Amino acid sequence: MSSDLKRKQQKKINPKPVQLNPNWSLLQQKLKSDSHGNTRKSSNPENPSSILGKRKERPDSELDVPKIDPLTPVNDDSSLTDEVAMDCEMVGVSQGTKSALGRVTLVNKWGNVLYDEFVRPVERVVDFRTHISGIRPRDLRKAKDFQVAQTKVAELIKGKILVGHALHNDLKALLLTHPKKDIRDTAEYQPFLKDKTRKSLKHLAAEILGADIQNGEHCPIDDARAAMMLYQKNRKEWEKNVKDQTRMWLKQKKRKPKKKVKEGNASTNHNPVV
């Protein structure tokens, strides 16, 4: 009797597994496999079907890379060098049509500033030409007297190769002269001319240096640096041209015939002394 009771209790504790319909078991397996697949897909951050999606990569050309200014000096040496570049900005005096010096800038061969001062003209300014010169009335209130600036510039350029663009205008405004053999003018350099026509400094800077200058108000520091860099890039060939021209000029000077002695003087020379 007890043995029969034990068998009944074991049957209750370990009931026989119920057999499922084959179609139902297949459906359960499919549901499990789909749920596992979805979990793997959602955990993959590179899956394009995810909620946020894959982050779009920007091409290298669109990256915010800061542009390097080609006119930026390569060092901070502000010593006086054998080559000096100059640029001046003018204001209008008299009736406004006459130009007078309003600012003068000198840089050394590396483009570092040697001298940069606003200058008070001797005559009264009637047109500041701010849209080009960048000079405003407040700039001239504490500006250098013309004679002071003139003396300092003359001291700095003495015995130096003077570089600039249309330098005759700057020297005229300063009431200064400079030996022609020591002038390197980017407006006059033959390889820079197009059909014997002068190019602007803005055009030369963009074409040869890749520099963007003179957009609106002019900056004499940038202009002087551009002229100096144009010279330095072509320095070897430029100096060769200067030497060739000097040599040719000396040859032509030697070939010039001597002045003929007047006939009257010649006849008197042959007369014997009594």
Side-chain angles (χ1 to χ4, degrees):
M1 189 74 181
S2 60
S3 59
D4 292 337
L5 183 61
K6 284 181 181 179
R7 286 194 198 97
K8 286 180 182 180
Q9 286 177 351
Q10 285 178 355
K11 284 179 182 179
K12 288 180 183 179
I13 294 170
N14 299 319
K16 288 183 179 180
V18 180
Q19 274 192 341
L20 296 174
N21 188 305
N23 293 335
W24 177 249
S25 62
L26 286 172
L27 179 61
Q28 281 185 326
Q29 289 177 1
K30 187 176 181 182
L31 288 171
K32 285 180 181 179
S33 62
D34 288 346
S35 65
H36 286 311
N38 288 336
T39 306
R40 283 196 297 270
K41 286 179 182 178
S42 62
S43 63
N44 187 358
E46 296 184 359
N47 188 356
S49 64
S50 63
I51 296 172
L52 296 176
K54 186 178 179 180
R55 185 176 178 180
K56 186 177 179 182
E57 293 182 1
R58 295 172 66 185
D60 293 339
S61 59
E62 294 181 10
L63 294 176
D64 298 328
V65 180
K67 288 185 178 180
I68 299 173
D69 185 359
L71 300 180
T72 303
V74 295
N75 60 43
D76 57 357
D77 187 344
S78 297
S79 60
L80 184 60
T81 53
D82 292 336
E83 300 98 6
V84 174
M86 180 170 71
D87 188 77
C88 297
E89 296 300 332
M90 313 298 177
V91 292
V93 296
S94 187
Q95 300 299 317
T97 55
K98 183 181 176 183
S99 294
L101 182 68
R103 183 179 176 183
V104 56
T105 302
L106 297 173
V107 302
N108 62 14
K109 70 177 183 180
W110 296 296
N112 292 307
V113 176
L114 297 170
Y115 189 74
D116 179 36
E117 293 290 347
F118 289 103
V119 181
R120 189 184 302 109
V122 177
E123 299 181 58
R124 187 175 69 89
V125 179
V126 297
D127 185 1
F128 287 88
R129 303 176 184 175
T130 306
H131 64 290
I132 294 175
S133 70
I135 299 172
R136 291 164 173 77
R138 65 173 181 267
D139 296 324
L140 300 189
R141 286 178 195 141
K142 295 183 179 181
K144 297 284 185 183
D145 289 334
F146 175 80
Q147 290 82 0
V148 173
Q150 181 193 48
T151 302
K152 184 62 178 178
V153 171
E155 177 188 323
L156 289 169
I157 68 175
K158 185 178 180 180
K160 306 298 181 185
I161 289 177
L162 184 61
V163 182
H165 192 82
L167 279 168
H168 61 280
N169 293 327
D170 297 339
L171 291 169
K172 182 181 178 181
L174 282 157
L175 302 179
L176 292 175
T177 59
H178 200 70
K180 188 176 180 181
K181 66 180 181 64
D182 291 334
I183 288 179
R184 305 292 182 267
D185 197 326
T186 55
E188 304 288 345
Y189 184 47
Q190 190 67 34
F192 290 167
L193 304 181
K194 184 179 182 181
D195 300 326
K196 296 184 179 180
T197 305
R198 296 173 184 172
K199 292 182 180 180
S200 67
L201 182 61
K202 178 180 176 65
H203 183 98
L204 291 172
E207 181 183 27
I208 300 172
L209 306 176
D212 190 18
I213 63 172
Q214 297 181 353
N215 291 315
E217 298 178 11
H218 292 196
C219 173
I221 297 176
D222 286 345
D223 291 355
R225 284 173 174 171
M228 178 58 79
M229 190 168 287
L230 285 167
Y231 167 71
Q232 292 294 344
K233 274 186 170 290
N234 298 270
R235 183 176 178 274
K236 189 175 180 180
E237 189 63 29
W238 200 324
E239 291 304 318
K240 183 179 179 297
N241 286 349
V242 170
K243 286 181 181 178
D244 291 343
Q245 289 175 1
T246 304
R247 195 180 297 113
M248 190 179 297
W249 179 79
L250 290 173
K251 283 182 179 180
Q252 289 175 350
K253 189 178 180 182
K254 287 179 181 179
R255 288 175 184 173
K256 283 184 179 180
K258 294 180 180 180
K259 290 182 180 180
K260 293 181 179 180
V261 182
K262 290 181 180 180
E263 292 181 2
N265 292 340
S267 60
T268 55
N269 289 340
H270 291 289
N271 290 338
V273 178
V274 178

